Structures are given as C-alpha cells and as structure tokens.
Amino acid sequence: MVTVDPYFHDTSPDFVGAPAGPASNVSSIMPYYWTSDDTRRAIIASILPIGAGVAGAAYIARDKEIDNVITSARKPHWAIKSRSTHSAIDLMTIAPLGYASYLVYKNGGGFDYTDTTVALSLYGANVGLALVNIPLLKKSNFQCLFYNSLLVSGTAAATAYAFYKIDQNAGLWTIPYALWTAYYAFFGYAAYQLNSPQKDA
C-alpha cells in the first residue's frame, strides 16, 4: 500500500543556478510516498528502543544488588515514589523514539546527509549513555550517575532539536523523552547530594 500526500511541495531548484521554486511548466506538487515497506521499517525501528527499555527494566527488577541500592538510597522528597510509575513513564517516553528516528532517516535522506547522520548519531549516543546507568546504579556510584544523567539529558535535548530541524513530527515525538530525562538529571543531582559520603560522615 502506498500513501500519497498531495500537499508536499518541492521548492528546490531543478538545476544548478536555477532560482528556488517550481518551474513554470512543471507542477509544484510532489507526492510524498509512505509504503508498506516504510511501515515495516518503522515498526522494526520502534521495537529497538522499546526492547532495550523492557530488557533494562527487567534486569533492574531481578538484580538484588540494584534493588538494595534503590531501596536503601535516600531520595528527594519531591521524587516519584512508585517504581512501577517510573518504569511506566520510561516506556511511554521511550516508545515513540524508534518511529521518530525512522521519520528522520526517511525524510532526511538517510546517511548521505550530514544533518541526518548527526541527528541519528545523537540518538544512538543517547541510548548508549542511558544503558550505562545500569552498571553505575549497581555500583551505587551516585556521583557518576548524576554526571551521566546530565549527558543523557543533554543528548536527549540535542536529539529532539536535531530531529525537529529535519522532521517536525519526529522532534515533537521526542520532546516527552527529553523532558523525562531532565527530571532524571535533577533526581540524579539530588540523590548524589543526599547519598554523598559527606552526608554519612
């Protein structure tokens, strides 16, 4: 099945040196195609971050060391208390990322274009940094957790901006995740302050 968007306009020049805009004898409306193959690829792209999130949550739930760290650590009074709520928001904000990344890949021209390559590289770096939190949490290293949460939040914001510049819908789908990682950055700072060695001295 092919979906055609009749409102997609091509305003690029037809040849080097030509002014931007449609030629006088050529229609300015170019169809935007979304095929069943695009749907399949978007689903695959969506499965990747969701799968990583589910696997990470399952690992944390089963690991006794991490469970002890989470249970015994001091937490800011304003933090969300329920771990299941944390996990649910994690998955809800992660879920659209794969679809957004495919929109960027498709509408940004793939890796042949620098801005698309940069945007998708930021996205990949963010996913990798987010996974680093698991071993840091297991080691009770709240200082490194805080610093890493800053990197996760920063790359999430940069990803949302880079996505938006290429495809506005992709950028909007990424904003909830960027906001949620900002919450984690504030939480990480508060947890670091509350659980620092000076507090126990």
Side-chain angles (χ1 to χ4, degrees), residues 43-58:
I43 291 172
I44 293 172
S46 299
I47 289 173
L48 295 176
I50 295 173
V54 170

Side-chain angles (χ1 to χ4, degrees), residues 3-27:
T3 302
V4 179
D5 182 358
Y7 300 103
F8 179 78
H9 289 70
D10 180 16
T11 58
S12 61
D14 295 317
F15 55 88
V16 177
S24 57
N25 61 342
V26 178
S27 172

Side-chain angles (χ1 to χ4, degrees), residues 171-192:
L172 293 175
W173 279 116
T174 314
I175 288 175
Y177 173 73
L179 294 175
W180 184 236
T181 58
Y183 162 82
Y184 268 122
F186 283 107
F187 180 88
Y189 174 74
Y192 168 51

Side-chain angles (χ1 to χ4, degrees), residues 52-137:
V54 170
Y59 179 83
I60 290 172
R62 291 196 306 265
D63 192 283
K64 291 184 178 180
E65 289 183 62
I66 294 179
D67 182 71
N68 290 335
V69 171
I70 295 174
T71 302
S72 61
R74 301 184 185 97
K75 305 172 187 66
H77 65 87
W78 46 262
I80 298 172
K81 301 297 188 292
S82 171
R83 289 169 62 177
S84 59
T85 301
H86 266 273
S87 297
I89 298 175
D90 283 344
L91 290 177
M92 285 190 294
T93 55
I94 287 171
L97 297 183
Y99 172 65
S101 69
Y102 183 71
L103 287 179
V104 168
Y105 178 81
K106 176 179 173 63
N107 298 328
F111 292 110
D112 291 333
Y113 292 85
T114 302
D115 54 348
T116 304
T117 301
V118 170
L120 293 175
S121 296
L122 284 169
Y123 168 61
N126 176 265
V127 173
L129 288 168
L131 292 174
V132 169
N133 281 331
I134 295 176
L136 293 177
L137 185 60

